[in-house]
Amino acid sequence: KAGAALMRALDSAAPGQIIFVIGLSGSGKSELRQEAMWKYAGRPEAWGVGKLPVLSVRATPSDKSYFSPKEFMGRLLLSVNEPNLEWLRRAQDSRATPDTIHLELESKLSSDLWHQLSRSRSEMAMRAVFERTARARSLRAIFIEEAASITHVHGNQLPGDHMVNYMCLAEEVGVALVLFGVPRVNALWQGNAEIRRRSKFVYVRRYRSDTAEDRRNFARLLVTLSRRYEFADSKLVVRTASRTYHATAG
């Protein structure tokens, strides 16, 4: 249901649209993001040369556990200049994990070359390059994981201030912003009527043990997650699905 709601929101999104996807940790938001990217982007052969309809980044705190707008802008710039299309494997390979593109980006961001580049450029300079490149690539949507990290601000700042900045960026480039986060992400729109007015909300609820469809979906999620590890018994996660459900509260 959340997947269908997200696709409806994306299909009707105007430039500058904000879509919040909210759910508890482990509820399947990353898998939902990967599936939505694949469906929304369509077949790569239809994109056009040099085009990139979607990209995905993490909003990870980096400045002494606070959110850094400059570091985040660097993530956007690197992602649009050197896109990792590993998420496209989702169409052919169910073993492809949602975190692959983020792990490669983290490796690039820690390189000496990138540190030198980020020190020599201001946030606004990186933003200007990002905007030009995003338009040239016909970017249509930016998927932001761990969006609740944007709420980790210094005492003299408000989370909504960052959100207004990214809302303006989305309008300038002509893209939709899709933010995935845990419930505390609500700090990004609280107290700002303009952000709330421009936002759509998709809620990823917990799996219910008394619903057959939810039990099947929870088991499928466990199987997907288990592919990241090596189990001597490949069916172990399915046999222990009920115990795992109760241990994690769905």
Short mmCIF file of all heavy atoms in Angstrom, two decimals, residues 18 20-22 67 146-154 157-164 166 179-196 199 201 203:
data_model
loop_
_atom_site.label_atom_id
_atom_site.label_comp_id
_atom_site.label_asym_id
_atom_site.label_seq_id
_atom_site.Cartn_x
_atom_site.Cartn_y
_atom_site.Cartn_z
N ILE A 18 7.36 18.17 -2.41
CA ILE A 18 8.04 17.43 -1.35
C ILE A 18 7.18 16.24 -0.96
O ILE A 18 5.97 16.38 -0.75
CB ILE A 18 8.28 18.32 -0.11
CG1 ILE A 18 9.09 19.56 -0.50
CG2 ILE A 18 9.01 17.54 0.99
CD1 ILE A 18 9.16 20.60 0.61
N PHE A 20 7.17 13.17 1.83
CA PHE A 20 7.75 12.54 3.02
C PHE A 20 7.26 11.09 3.11
O PHE A 20 6.07 10.83 3.08
CB PHE A 20 7.34 13.28 4.29
CG PHE A 20 8.02 14.61 4.48
CD1 PHE A 20 7.36 15.79 4.15
CD2 PHE A 20 9.31 14.68 4.99
CE1 PHE A 20 7.97 17.02 4.32
CE2 PHE A 20 9.93 15.90 5.17
CZ PHE A 20 9.26 17.08 4.83
N VAL A 21 8.21 10.16 3.23
CA VAL A 21 7.89 8.75 3.44
C VAL A 21 8.34 8.41 4.86
O VAL A 21 9.53 8.42 5.17
CB VAL A 21 8.60 7.85 2.42
CG1 VAL A 21 8.21 6.39 2.64
CG2 VAL A 21 8.25 8.28 1.00
N ILE A 22 7.38 8.12 5.74
CA ILE A 22 7.65 8.02 7.17
C ILE A 22 7.36 6.62 7.68
O ILE A 22 6.29 6.05 7.42
CB ILE A 22 6.79 9.04 7.94
CG1 ILE A 22 7.01 10.45 7.36
CG2 ILE A 22 7.11 9.02 9.42
CD1 ILE A 22 5.92 11.43 7.74
N PHE A 67 23.99 17.95 11.30
CA PHE A 67 23.83 17.96 9.85
C PHE A 67 24.64 19.09 9.24
O PHE A 67 24.62 20.22 9.72
CB PHE A 67 22.35 18.13 9.50
CG PHE A 67 22.07 18.26 8.03
CD1 PHE A 67 22.16 17.16 7.20
CD2 PHE A 67 21.71 19.48 7.48
CE1 PHE A 67 21.91 17.27 5.83
CE2 PHE A 67 21.45 19.60 6.13
CZ PHE A 67 21.55 18.49 5.31
N GLU A 146 17.45 8.66 5.33
CA GLU A 146 17.83 9.13 6.66
C GLU A 146 17.57 10.64 6.80
O GLU A 146 18.37 11.38 7.36
CB GLU A 146 19.29 8.80 6.95
CG GLU A 146 19.60 7.32 6.91
CD GLU A 146 21.05 6.99 7.24
OE1 GLU A 146 21.77 7.87 7.76
OE2 GLU A 146 21.46 5.85 6.97
N ALA A 147 16.42 11.08 6.27
CA ALA A 147 16.10 12.51 6.25
C ALA A 147 15.97 13.10 7.64
O ALA A 147 16.13 14.31 7.82
CB ALA A 147 14.81 12.74 5.47
N ALA A 148 15.69 12.26 8.65
CA ALA A 148 15.59 12.78 10.02
C ALA A 148 16.91 13.37 10.49
O ALA A 148 16.94 14.16 11.45
CB ALA A 148 15.13 11.68 10.97
N SER A 149 18.02 13.01 9.83
CA SER A 149 19.32 13.57 10.20
C SER A 149 19.35 15.08 9.97
O SER A 149 20.14 15.79 10.61
CB SER A 149 20.43 12.91 9.38
OG SER A 149 20.52 11.53 9.67
N ILE A 150 18.52 15.58 9.08
CA ILE A 150 18.47 17.03 8.81
C ILE A 150 17.97 17.78 10.04
O ILE A 150 18.19 18.98 10.18
CB ILE A 150 17.60 17.32 7.57
CG1 ILE A 150 18.14 16.55 6.36
CG2 ILE A 150 17.55 18.80 7.25
CD1 ILE A 150 17.27 16.67 5.11
N THR A 151 17.30 17.08 10.94
CA THR A 151 16.80 17.73 12.16
C THR A 151 17.89 17.93 13.20
O THR A 151 17.68 18.62 14.20
CB THR A 151 15.66 16.91 12.80
OG1 THR A 151 16.18 15.66 13.28
CG2 THR A 151 14.56 16.62 11.79
N HIS A 152 19.09 17.33 12.99
CA HIS A 152 20.19 17.46 13.94
C HIS A 152 20.94 18.76 13.67
O HIS A 152 21.97 18.78 12.98
CB HIS A 152 21.15 16.27 13.83
CG HIS A 152 20.51 14.97 14.17
ND1 HIS A 152 21.08 13.75 13.88
CD2 HIS A 152 19.32 14.68 14.76
CE1 HIS A 152 20.28 12.78 14.30
NE2 HIS A 152 19.21 13.32 14.82
N VAL A 153 20.42 19.87 14.18
CA VAL A 153 20.98 21.17 13.87
C VAL A 153 21.59 21.80 15.12
O VAL A 153 21.32 21.38 16.24
CB VAL A 153 19.90 22.11 13.29
CG1 VAL A 153 19.37 21.57 11.98
CG2 VAL A 153 18.75 22.30 14.29
N HIS A 154 22.43 22.81 14.91
CA HIS A 154 23.01 23.56 16.01
C HIS A 154 21.92 24.36 16.72
O HIS A 154 20.84 24.62 16.16
CB HIS A 154 24.11 24.49 15.50
CG HIS A 154 25.32 23.76 14.99
ND1 HIS A 154 26.32 23.31 15.82
CD2 HIS A 154 25.68 23.39 13.73
CE1 HIS A 154 27.25 22.70 15.10
NE2 HIS A 154 26.89 22.73 13.83
N GLN A 157 19.83 27.19 15.07
CA GLN A 157 19.19 26.88 13.79
C GLN A 157 17.88 26.14 14.01
O GLN A 157 17.64 25.59 15.08
CB GLN A 157 20.12 26.03 12.92
CG GLN A 157 21.42 26.71 12.52
CD GLN A 157 22.32 25.78 11.73
OE1 GLN A 157 22.37 24.58 11.96
NE2 GLN A 157 23.03 26.34 10.76
N LEU A 158 17.06 26.15 12.97
CA LEU A 158 15.80 25.39 12.98
C LEU A 158 15.83 24.39 11.83
O LEU A 158 16.28 24.71 10.72
CB LEU A 158 14.61 26.33 12.82
CG LEU A 158 14.34 27.32 13.95
CD1 LEU A 158 13.22 28.27 13.56
CD2 LEU A 158 13.99 26.57 15.23
N PRO A 159 15.34 23.16 12.07
CA PRO A 159 15.33 22.17 10.99
C PRO A 159 14.58 22.65 9.75
O PRO A 159 14.99 22.37 8.62
CB PRO A 159 14.62 20.96 11.63
CG PRO A 159 14.86 21.12 13.09
CD PRO A 159 14.85 22.60 13.33
N GLY A 160 13.50 23.40 9.98
CA GLY A 160 12.72 23.91 8.85
C GLY A 160 13.49 24.84 7.95
O GLY A 160 13.16 24.98 6.76
N ASP A 161 14.52 25.51 8.48
CA ASP A 161 15.32 26.42 7.66
C ASP A 161 16.02 25.65 6.53
O ASP A 161 16.08 26.11 5.39
CB ASP A 161 16.36 27.14 8.51
CG ASP A 161 15.72 28.08 9.53
OD1 ASP A 161 14.55 28.46 9.33
OD2 ASP A 161 16.38 28.41 10.53
N HIS A 162 16.57 24.49 6.87
CA HIS A 162 17.20 23.66 5.85
C HIS A 162 16.16 23.20 4.83
O HIS A 162 16.43 23.16 3.62
CB HIS A 162 17.86 22.43 6.48
CG HIS A 162 19.05 22.75 7.32
ND1 HIS A 162 20.04 23.63 6.92
CD2 HIS A 162 19.43 22.31 8.55
CE1 HIS A 162 20.97 23.71 7.84
NE2 HIS A 162 20.62 22.92 8.84
N MET A 163 14.98 22.86 5.31
CA MET A 163 13.94 22.35 4.43
C MET A 163 13.50 23.42 3.42
O MET A 163 13.25 23.12 2.25
CB MET A 163 12.75 21.88 5.27
CG MET A 163 11.89 20.84 4.60
SD MET A 163 12.80 19.35 4.18
CE MET A 163 12.58 19.31 2.41
N VAL A 164 13.40 24.66 3.88
CA VAL A 164 13.05 25.76 2.97
C VAL A 164 14.12 25.90 1.89
O VAL A 164 13.82 26.10 0.70
CB VAL A 164 12.91 27.08 3.74
CG1 VAL A 164 12.80 28.26 2.78
CG2 VAL A 164 11.68 27.05 4.65
N TYR A 166 16.08 23.53 0.68
CA TYR A 166 16.01 22.44 -0.29
C TYR A 166 14.72 22.50 -1.11
O TYR A 166 14.69 22.04 -2.25
CB TYR A 166 16.17 21.10 0.42
CG TYR A 166 17.51 21.00 1.09
CD1 TYR A 166 17.64 20.59 2.41
CD2 TYR A 166 18.66 21.37 0.41
CE1 TYR A 166 18.88 20.54 3.04
CE2 TYR A 166 19.90 21.33 1.02
CZ TYR A 166 20.00 20.91 2.33
OH TYR A 166 21.24 20.87 2.93
N LEU A 179 11.73 12.34 0.71
CA LEU A 179 12.50 12.20 1.93
C LEU A 179 12.00 11.01 2.75
O LEU A 179 10.82 10.94 3.10
CB LEU A 179 12.43 13.47 2.78
CG LEU A 179 13.03 14.72 2.14
CD1 LEU A 179 11.93 15.56 1.50
CD2 LEU A 179 13.78 15.57 3.16
N PHE A 180 12.90 10.08 3.05
CA PHE A 180 12.57 8.89 3.81
C PHE A 180 13.12 9.05 5.23
O PHE A 180 14.31 9.35 5.40
CB PHE A 180 13.20 7.65 3.17
CG PHE A 180 12.66 7.33 1.81
CD1 PHE A 180 13.05 8.06 0.69
CD2 PHE A 180 11.76 6.29 1.63
CE1 PHE A 180 12.56 7.76 -0.57
CE2 PHE A 180 11.26 5.99 0.37
CZ PHE A 180 11.66 6.73 -0.73
N GLY A 181 12.28 8.84 6.24
CA GLY A 181 12.78 8.99 7.60
C GLY A 181 11.87 8.42 8.65
O GLY A 181 10.72 8.05 8.38
N VAL A 182 12.39 8.34 9.87
CA VAL A 182 11.63 7.90 11.03
C VAL A 182 10.72 9.05 11.48
O VAL A 182 10.87 10.19 11.00
CB VAL A 182 12.57 7.45 12.17
CG1 VAL A 182 13.35 6.21 11.76
CG2 VAL A 182 13.53 8.57 12.56
N PRO A 183 9.76 8.79 12.38
CA PRO A 183 8.76 9.82 12.72
C PRO A 183 9.29 11.19 13.16
O PRO A 183 8.61 12.19 12.95
CB PRO A 183 7.97 9.15 13.86
CG PRO A 183 8.02 7.70 13.51
CD PRO A 183 9.40 7.47 12.96
N ARG A 184 10.50 11.25 13.71
CA ARG A 184 10.98 12.57 14.14
C ARG A 184 11.29 13.49 12.97
O ARG A 184 11.60 14.67 13.16
CB ARG A 184 12.21 12.44 15.04
CG ARG A 184 13.49 12.03 14.36
CD ARG A 184 14.68 12.24 15.31
NE ARG A 184 15.94 11.89 14.68
CZ ARG A 184 16.49 10.68 14.70
NH1 ARG A 184 15.88 9.70 15.34
NH2 ARG A 184 17.65 10.45 14.09
N VAL A 185 11.16 12.98 11.75
CA VAL A 185 11.34 13.83 10.57
C VAL A 185 10.27 14.92 10.52
O VAL A 185 10.40 15.89 9.77
CB VAL A 185 11.30 12.96 9.29
CG1 VAL A 185 9.88 12.55 8.94
CG2 VAL A 185 11.94 13.68 8.11
N ASN A 186 9.22 14.77 11.34
CA ASN A 186 8.15 15.77 11.33
C ASN A 186 8.64 17.16 11.75
O ASN A 186 7.98 18.17 11.48
CB ASN A 186 6.96 15.34 12.20
CG ASN A 186 7.32 15.23 13.68
OD1 ASN A 186 8.44 15.51 14.10
ND2 ASN A 186 6.37 14.78 14.48
N ALA A 187 9.81 17.23 12.39
CA ALA A 187 10.38 18.53 12.76
C ALA A 187 10.71 19.38 11.53
O ALA A 187 10.86 20.60 11.64
CB ALA A 187 11.64 18.33 13.59
N LEU A 188 10.80 18.76 10.37
CA LEU A 188 11.15 19.49 9.15
C LEU A 188 9.99 20.32 8.60
O LEU A 188 10.21 21.23 7.81
CB LEU A 188 11.64 18.51 8.06
CG LEU A 188 12.95 17.78 8.36
CD1 LEU A 188 13.29 16.82 7.23
CD2 LEU A 188 14.09 18.76 8.58
N TRP A 189 8.77 20.00 8.99
CA TRP A 189 7.65 20.81 8.52
C TRP A 189 6.87 21.47 9.65
O TRP A 189 6.05 22.36 9.40
CB TRP A 189 6.71 19.98 7.65
CG TRP A 189 5.89 18.95 8.37
CD1 TRP A 189 4.76 19.19 9.14
CD2 TRP A 189 6.11 17.53 8.42
NE1 TRP A 189 4.28 18.00 9.64
CE2 TRP A 189 5.09 16.98 9.21
CE3 TRP A 189 7.06 16.69 7.86
CZ2 TRP A 189 5.01 15.61 9.47
CZ3 TRP A 189 6.99 15.34 8.10
CH2 TRP A 189 5.97 14.81 8.89
N GLN A 190 7.11 21.11 10.88
CA GLN A 190 6.38 21.70 11.99
C GLN A 190 6.66 23.20 12.08
O GLN A 190 7.81 23.65 12.02
CB GLN A 190 6.76 21.03 13.31
CG GLN A 190 6.12 19.67 13.49
CD GLN A 190 6.45 19.05 14.83
OE1 GLN A 190 7.41 19.45 15.48
NE2 GLN A 190 5.69 18.06 15.24
N GLY A 191 5.60 23.97 12.21
CA GLY A 191 5.75 25.41 12.35
C GLY A 191 5.96 26.15 11.04
O GLY A 191 6.16 27.36 11.04
N ASN A 192 5.92 25.45 9.90
CA ASN A 192 6.10 26.11 8.61
C ASN A 192 4.96 25.69 7.69
O ASN A 192 4.97 24.59 7.11
CB ASN A 192 7.45 25.73 8.00
CG ASN A 192 7.80 26.61 6.81
OD1 ASN A 192 7.03 26.75 5.88
ND2 ASN A 192 9.00 27.20 6.84
N ALA A 193 3.99 26.56 7.55
CA ALA A 193 2.80 26.24 6.77
C ALA A 193 3.12 26.03 5.30
O ALA A 193 2.48 25.23 4.62
CB ALA A 193 1.77 27.36 6.93
N GLU A 194 4.14 26.76 4.77
CA GLU A 194 4.46 26.64 3.35
C GLU A 194 5.02 25.26 3.02
O GLU A 194 4.66 24.66 2.01
CB GLU A 194 5.48 27.71 2.97
CG GLU A 194 5.88 27.71 1.50
CD GLU A 194 4.74 28.04 0.56
OE1 GLU A 194 3.67 28.50 1.03
OE2 GLU A 194 4.90 27.83 -0.66
N ILE A 195 5.90 24.74 3.89
CA ILE A 195 6.45 23.40 3.67
C ILE A 195 5.34 22.37 3.73
O ILE A 195 5.25 21.47 2.89
CB ILE A 195 7.55 23.08 4.69
CG1 ILE A 195 8.75 24.00 4.50
CG2 ILE A 195 7.99 21.62 4.57
CD1 ILE A 195 9.82 23.83 5.56
N ARG A 196 4.50 22.49 4.73
CA ARG A 196 3.41 21.52 4.88
C ARG A 196 2.45 21.57 3.70
O ARG A 196 1.97 20.54 3.22
CB ARG A 196 2.66 21.78 6.19
CG ARG A 196 1.64 20.70 6.51
CD ARG A 196 1.01 20.90 7.88
NE ARG A 196 0.07 19.85 8.16
CZ ARG A 196 0.38 18.67 8.70
NH1 ARG A 196 1.64 18.42 9.00
NH2 ARG A 196 -0.54 17.77 8.92
N SER A 199 3.75 19.64 0.73
CA SER A 199 4.18 18.28 1.02
C SER A 199 3.05 17.27 0.89
O SER A 199 1.88 17.58 1.14
CB SER A 199 4.76 18.19 2.44
OG SER A 199 5.89 19.03 2.58
N PHE A 201 2.37 13.06 2.10
CA PHE A 201 2.85 12.18 3.15
C PHE A 201 2.46 10.73 2.85
O PHE A 201 1.30 10.45 2.53
CB PHE A 201 2.30 12.60 4.51
CG PHE A 201 2.64 14.02 4.88
CD1 PHE A 201 1.80 15.07 4.53
CD2 PHE A 201 3.82 14.31 5.55
CE1 PHE A 201 2.12 16.39 4.84
CE2 PHE A 201 4.15 15.61 5.88
CZ PHE A 201 3.29 16.65 5.51
N TYR A 203 2.88 6.94 4.66
CA TYR A 203 3.24 6.30 5.92
C TYR A 203 3.46 4.80 5.70
O TYR A 203 2.62 4.12 5.11
CB TYR A 203 2.15 6.52 6.96
CG TYR A 203 2.03 7.97 7.38
CD1 TYR A 203 1.14 8.84 6.73
CD2 TYR A 203 2.84 8.50 8.38
CE1 TYR A 203 1.05 10.18 7.09
CE2 TYR A 203 2.75 9.83 8.75
CZ TYR A 203 1.86 10.66 8.10
OH TYR A 203 1.77 11.99 8.44
#
